[in-house]
Amino acid sequence: MALIALGALPGLRVHATDRAGHWQEMSWPFPRDGWPAGRAFRCTAGGCDGVELYVRAKRGFCNCDTGVADDDEVDRVTDIDLISPRFTPVAPGEAVSVAAMQGRIRHYDLDMPDGARHAAAGLALSRRCDLLVAVAQGAGEANAAQRAALVLLETEEMKQWMAAALDGR
């Protein structure tokens, strides 16, 4: 099992497996909006080389009774439009469970501003009335990006960060 150091939170170490690739934390690349900035990572080696993952909490932004109910909600909340306003869902989403939260994941084709095409997987998870959203995107295949991102999100360190972010800490 490889260890990588992440720079944004001193002392935090994420255990990455070969399935997850090797992730390096980077600055949140998006302009400020109504939600706190999240965490951003770039995969630097392994099966997800070049994939970027963006994760953040959106507190009080979820239906407290139903959670993430459908694909329209995934399209609306996952921040996919911050990467490119020209995104197209490629298939219906699927139910997913990450870090004891339930939600949906959906794949997209992105037309990037430089004319390149990227694939992305958008993830929306609910905990009570709060959302945790994530997008993994890159020039490769969406399934590989999704698999590596889900493994990273299931690490103990990321679970702790997600819980703290949803708790407002």
Side-chain angles (χ1 to χ4, degrees), residues 45-65:
C48 60
D49 196 19
V51 168
E52 294 180 351
L53 173 66
Y54 317 104
V55 185
R56 70 174 165 169
K58 293 185 175 183
R59 297 178 65 223
F61 195 62
C62 189
N63 183 314
C64 301
D65 297 322

Side-chain angles (χ1 to χ4, degrees), residues 4-63:
I4 58 172
L6 301 177
L9 296 175
L12 179 69
R13 299 181 72 76
V14 171
H15 302 273
T17 66
D18 289 336
R19 263 186 26 201
H22 301 280
W23 295 90
Q24 179 179 4
E25 190 156 8
M26 59 186 190
S27 298
W28 186 253
F30 306 114
R32 292 189 58 94
D33 60 10
W35 304 104
R39 294 181 71 184
F41 303 89
R42 179 175 292 118
C43 184
T44 59
C48 60
D49 196 19
V51 168
E52 294 180 351
L53 173 66
Y54 317 104
V55 185
R56 70 174 165 169
K58 293 185 175 183
R59 297 178 65 223
F61 195 62
C62 189
N63 183 314

Side-chain angles (χ1 to χ4, degrees), residues 11 26 52-53 69 72 83 103 105 107 110 125 155 158-159 163:
M26 59 186 190
E52 294 180 351
L53 173 66
D72 289 339
I83 300 165
I105 193 162
H107 290 182
L110 305 175
L125 302 165
T155 63
M158 286 302 295
K159 287 180 190 179

